[in-house]
Amino acid sequence: GENVEQHPSTLSVQEGDSAVIKCTYSDSASNYFPWYKQELGKRPQLIIDIRSNVGEKKDQRIAVTLNKTAKHFSLHITETQPEDSAVYFCAATYSGNTPLVFGKGTRLSVIA
Amino acid sequence: SAVISQKPSRDICQRGTSLTIQCQVDSQVTMMFWYRQQPGQSLTLIATANQGSEATYESGFVIDKFPISRPNLTFSTLTVSNMSPEDSSIYLCSVPGASSGNTIYFGEGSWLTVV
């Protein structure tokens, strides 16, 4: 089955700097890669996703890149702000009818 | 997008008791997924619930501990049986979006604390 590795487990950046979180997956059949943000006491919230027919996707300060050959995808947050502090999870799945497999999470701290 | 109502949202449970979590979706879905998130951990799949058949459990999860019902295409329940403090977790139901490609939606979660 699918296995998703996520690095780093913790990340501290200065406000205004960029943050990058990387994930690798094992199943070449996986074709959907969402990223979730989880704030303390709340459920994970989808912040961006990418499908395997696309190499990069941007949404304001957030971008995700996908390298299918290497089987890795990354989350990029630019101009970080204190409200970006949270735990971020990457995930992968083959289709909407198969469950997501999650990485172990990255705790991002943005220092003002 | 799918609207998922999950309850209870929070509960404090006594050791040895059982609690049933309900998940109601505003549209018909073939698959429903139940996840557990232990404190400080990632989300782990408990089982996949299909309407009209037995749930499929992941390694480490058994039906006696986590019985699941799926009586129709919009509803499912997960019971956490004979609870111990190790069962203190967030339990989340999840469904695929009907017309959103592979997008998967989560309920708001049920925060269980076992004392």
Side-chain angles (χ1 to χ4, degrees), chain A residues 25 33 50-52 54-56 64-68 72-73:
Chain A
Y25 61 99
F33 309 92
I50 192 167
R51 290 172 173 78
S52 60
V54 176
E56 183 176 2
V64 58
T65 59
L66 171 65
N67 183 325
K68 289 187 293 182
H72 66 71
F73 56 113

Side-chain angles (χ1 to χ4, degrees), chain A residues 31-32 38 43 51 96 100 103, chain B residues 35 37 42 96 100 102 106-107:
Chain A
N31 60 7
Y32 176 62
Q38 187 174 30
R43 65 174 165 173
R51 290 172 173 78
L100 288 168
Chain B
Y35 286 86
Q37 186 179 28
S42 185
S100 304
N102 293 358
F106 283 88

Side-chain angles (χ1 to χ4, degrees), chain B residues 46 54-55 57-58 61-68 78-79 81:
Chain B
I46 298 172
E54 293 288 329
Y57 289 83
E58 297 299 302
F61 298 96
V62 294
I63 188 171
D64 289 347
K65 176 68 175 176
F66 298 100
I68 288 171
L78 170 75
T79 298
S81 303

